[in-house]
Amino acid sequence: MSIFDEFERFMKRWQRFFEEIERQIEEDFRRFSAQPPPGGGRPRYYYYGFEITMGPDGRPVVREFGNVRRRSDVERIEVVDEIDPLTDIVEEDDKIKVVVDMPGVEKDDIKLYISEDGRTLTIDARSKDRKYHKEIRLPVAVDPNKAKATYKNGVLSVELEKTEKRKRGFEIKID
């Protein structure tokens, strides 16, 4: 199978997925218009996106984010209250930088946790309108006492210092 065949299969799958999202949104708005939720309120929001990068094997890697999930057991989508935010992880020699898009919350709404083994970063944010949750398995253990975090214009940046350095191996001299 060529890469073009794979791409065509990939695009057909995404087209079906987006058609299902559109159908679900229309159904929710019809239901909301016919009978608004108690106490007023508004229909739930749909937040979905994806990022395509090239993997180390030369094949595309798709990372999804948002609050829309594909259910594998049925041909339906599921909308959840917690948003899985777009996240980038950049590993440097002695530190790891985690950048998370979380618009609509204030700095005081955000809670960060590092696991006891220093290998998992958990991000929770709760505001009146938005809920974010993300658990990130870090490539190496980090020191929670040296963590630094900033939040500006809807972007959370976390800088973590590694406790263990990745070994680079031995240099081979070229004759």
Side-chain angles (χ1 to χ4, degrees):
M1 176 179 300
S2 75
I3 189 107
F4 297 109
D5 294 333
E6 281 187 56
F7 183 74
E8 187 174 338
R9 273 191 19 240
F10 170 80
M11 291 307 291
K12 285 180 182 177
R13 192 177 102 217
W14 282 100
Q15 183 177 359
R16 286 192 308 270
F17 178 63
F18 284 119
E19 287 169 356
E20 176 61 24
I21 290 175
E22 189 174 333
R23 190 195 63 69
Q24 183 83 30
I25 290 171
E26 288 173 4
E27 182 180 305
D28 283 356
F29 275 110
R30 271 196 306 278
R31 190 175 35 235
F32 177 77
S33 298
Q35 184 174 358
R42 58 188 169 136
R44 74 175 25 174
Y45 54 89
Y46 292 80
Y47 179 71
Y48 178 80
F50 62 92
E51 173 185 53
I52 302 174
T53 57
M54 195 62 70
D57 59 357
R59 296 196 178 275
V61 175
V62 179
R63 290 188 328 176
E64 298 175 88
F65 57 92
N67 71 334
V68 177
R69 308 279 192 283
R70 241 185 303 218
R71 295 218 18 214
S72 58
D73 55 334
V74 290
E75 285 293 317
R76 294 218 9 113
I77 62 167
E78 178 179 58
V79 181
V80 295
D81 289 335
E82 289 182 336
I83 297 171
D84 179 12
L86 176 62
T87 306
D88 284 320
I89 302 165
V90 179
E91 185 176 359
E92 296 177 353
D93 286 340
D94 58 343
K95 63 181 102 175
I96 296 172
K97 291 182 181 176
V98 179
V99 181
V100 185
D101 288 341
M102 296 193 317
V105 295
E106 298 295 323
K107 179 179 83 168
D108 295 337
D109 299 332
I110 302 170
K111 304 289 182 225
L112 300 174
Y113 307 95
I114 295 181
S115 63
E116 274 189 43
D117 66 358
R119 295 194 59 115
T120 304
L121 172 66
T122 303
I123 302 166
D124 280 309
R126 304 260 182 271
S127 74
K128 186 178 106 184
D129 297 326
R130 306 260 172 100
K131 296 177 188 175
Y132 293 96
H133 177 80
K134 182 81 172 188
E135 280 192 25
I136 302 164
R137 185 74 179 153
L138 301 169
V140 296
V142 297
D143 184 349
N145 298 315
K146 295 183 180 175
K148 296 177 189 169
T150 59
Y151 181 73
K152 186 175 181 182
N153 296 328
V155 178
L156 173 69
S157 298
V158 183
E159 194 170 286
L160 305 162
E161 189 172 308
K162 294 178 181 180
T163 58
E164 56 188 65
K165 307 293 186 228
R166 277 227 171 128
K167 294 192 168 83
R168 299 181 110 181
F170 298 97
E171 181 179 354
I172 298 173
K173 301 217 186 244
I174 302 171
D175 291 329

